[in-house]
Amino acid sequence: MHKKLFIPGPVDVRPEVLAKMSTPMISHRGKAATELGKDVCTKLQKVFQTNNVIVLSTTSGSGLMESAIKCCTAKRAAVFSIGAFGDRWYKMAVANGVPADKFRAEDGQATDPKQVDEALATGKYDLVTITHNETSVGIMNPIKEIAEVVKKYPDVVFCVDTVSSMGGTSIPVDELGIDFCITSTQKCLGCPPGMSAASVSKKAYERAKTVPNRGLYLDIVEIYDKVVKDDKYQYPSTPSESHMFALQEELTYMLEVEGLENRYARHLEMAEYIRAWARKYFAIFSDERYLSPTLTTIKNTRGISVADLNKKLAEKGIEISNGYGDLKEKTFRISHMADMTMDDMKLVTSAIEEVLGL
Ligand SMILES: *Cc1c(COP(=O)(O)O)cnc(C)c1O
């Protein structure tokens, strides 16, 4: 039996989108590939609210996160982490021999724009990474305030992980001045896992050209050059065409059927419902001022076994997420992203109430 997914990615994919994954293949060097690539990238530019070049990568989002920090740090990276995915960005820097410092907030807290200012004011850093929406704790950072700070330092390349938020909330990439903005297909974009996308500014591209050891497969200069060359929207290696067909379908739906504003409003409505439910029966784990519109991390105030709860939910065809890493059993997570509905939210909460006898 398929379990309905309330985990923060991969998400359930609409049948129309799943069906597109079985579209017959085309030559990745032909005209049809250019048309497909162009359509997907143009639609993604609308979602990202950017005029920057959009690149696709046949890796999950982590691939482009690694590419960003490896290719665009010439001097030293300042990694602001508020949880597991911020920590991962730092690990990528270390694993690639990229000089970096990690600034870690406590779990459940947001990045403090003042701390970003203090770090960048030292002049030590030429790249900064921010997790827009930290999926381990359910916090959405005050990106506007952080962006205002970063704008004071024109030599700093501004990289933002929007893996679990792009498509679920408005992120005006150009207005915020984000140079390298990354997302994955399997979260708010409502597609299967296996592909990611990023907007790359001219500044990020020019910086990368000055960095000697960028690797090859995820060298952002190679990818960028190939995408823009002769307006062909092609890639150095063969991209997952299946994902591109699926993305095209979902992006068309987002832009032309549902509408982005409606999509964002739906995410918020679901978030508010889950938060209210969490406050009634448990408690919200994270700082209430910065709660994520795409998932909620709930504090296990009743000392239940989250693993057992999930086993019983499985019998009802439902799956939620345990806490991430050290937060396992101390918290659990319910996602409200991509194409979930209010009915889904009522389904999951009433199922939990029933299992726990609340
Ligand atoms: C899921 C997630 C990632 C990792 O993305 P993959 O596509 O699994 O590589 C990174 N950052 C955040 C915030 C995420 O939610």
Side-chain angles (χ1 to χ4, degrees):
M1 178 179 60
H2 172 69
K3 280 184 276 174
K4 212 168 178 34
L5 297 177
F6 292 89
I7 62 176
V11 296
D12 276 321
V13 177
R14 293 190 307 118
E16 297 83 350
V17 176
L18 265 187
K20 290 288 175 187
M21 292 292 285
S22 56
T23 307
M25 296 305 128
I26 55 177
S27 159
H28 66 307
R29 297 292 173 231
K31 216 170 154 201
T34 293
E35 276 165 19
L36 176 64
K38 182 170 184 168
D39 191 39
V40 168
C41 288
T42 308
K43 288 184 162 81
L44 280 171
Q45 279 179 320
K46 289 190 183 134
V47 177
F48 279 60
Q49 302 177 56
T50 186
N51 291 316
N52 286 338
V53 168
I54 299 276
V55 302
L56 302 174
S57 172
T58 304
T59 61
S60 70
S62 301
L64 284 172
M65 287 168 68
E66 187 158 350
S67 173
I69 201 158
K70 178 174 186 161
C71 297
C72 299
T73 308
K75 214 158 63 178
R76 195 173 189 86
V79 176
F80 284 84
S81 174
I82 61 167
F85 291 105
D87 290 351
R88 183 183 287 187
W89 228 341
Y90 179 71
K91 284 184 198 154
M92 288 167 174
V94 172
N96 283 289
V98 173
D101 292 313
K102 182 165 78 168
F103 301 85
R104 180 66 152 88
E106 264 176 58
D107 282 338
Q109 300 303 312
T111 293
D112 179 359
K114 273 207 292 294
Q115 202 190 12
V116 177
D117 205 0
E118 279 163 24
L120 298 185
T122 63
K124 274 161 63 179
Y125 306 102
D126 62 355
L127 181 138
V128 63
T129 76
I130 298 290
T131 311
H132 176 242
N133 190 72
E134 176 53 71
T135 316
S136 57
V137 292
I139 284 271
M140 185 165 75
N141 265 319
I143 194 68
K144 198 158 176 271
E145 288 76 3
I146 295 169
E148 287 310 315
V149 166
V150 178
K151 277 179 191 164
K152 290 171 34 186
Y153 304 93
D155 294 335
V156 172
V157 170
F158 186 18
C159 301
V160 182
D161 167 355
T162 62
V163 170
S164 63
S165 48
M166 186 62 80
T169 191
S170 172
I171 307 168
V173 166
D174 286 357
E175 207 179 294
L176 295 166
I178 301 172
D179 293 301
F180 208 132
C181 187
I182 299 152
T183 199
S184 303
T185 47
Q186 80 277 15
K187 301 205 179 165
C188 301
L189 294 181
C191 288
M195 186 167 256
S196 51
S199 64
V200 182
S201 72
K202 198 87 191 163
K203 179 168 131 190
Y205 170 75
E206 292 299 337
R207 165 68 60 71
K209 285 210 276 190
T210 72
V211 174
N213 296 306
R214 302 187 298 268
L216 186 76
Y217 186 62
L218 292 172
D219 175 8
I220 202 61
V221 176
E222 280 239 339
I223 298 171
Y224 186 107
D225 282 343
K226 191 76 184 168
V227 168
V228 300
K229 188 170 180 253
D230 305 326
D231 222 22
K232 278 198 167 158
Y233 294 86
Q234 292 184 7
Y235 290 85
S237 327
T238 322
S240 170
E241 295 172 342
S242 310
H243 281 88
M244 291 167 75
F245 289 122
L247 254 180
Q248 185 179 40
E249 175 74 18
E250 180 68 2
L251 289 167
T252 304
Y253 174 80
M254 283 167 65
L255 293 164
E256 292 169 21
V257 181
E258 181 171 31
L260 289 179
E261 289 310 319
N262 292 335
R263 191 174 179 90
Y264 303 151
R266 177 170 55 77
H267 278 76
L268 198 57
E269 189 189 4
M270 294 190 294
E272 281 168 354
Y273 175 84
I274 294 295
R275 291 171 197 164
W277 179 86
R279 288 184 198 108
K280 182 169 173 198
Y281 293 108
F282 291 90
I284 288 178
F285 175 74
S286 298
D287 188 334
E288 290 265 357
R289 290 172 298 172
Y290 305 108
L291 296 181
S292 164
T294 66
L295 83 148
T296 299
T297 300
I298 299 165
K299 200 168 169 180
N300 182 7
T301 49
R302 291 173 178 259
I304 59 158
S305 161
V306 176
D308 281 353
L309 168 61
N310 230 349
K311 265 186 220 145
K312 298 213 178 77
L313 288 174
E315 290 164 18
K316 297 174 180 291
I318 288 172
E319 182 168 349
I320 61 168
S321 257
N322 209 322
Y324 196 102
D326 294 342
L327 296 175
K328 205 169 188 165
E329 294 297 335
K330 292 184 191 136
T331 64
F332 60 95
R333 295 171 298 160
I334 297 175
S335 79
H336 23 84
M337 58 173 70
D339 294 299
M340 294 174 180
T341 63
M342 279 299 286
D343 283 346
D344 294 329
M345 297 303 116
K346 288 169 190 160
L347 178 79
V348 69
T349 52
S350 62
I352 297 173
E353 286 168 31
E354 211 176 295
V355 167
L356 298 177
L358 298 175

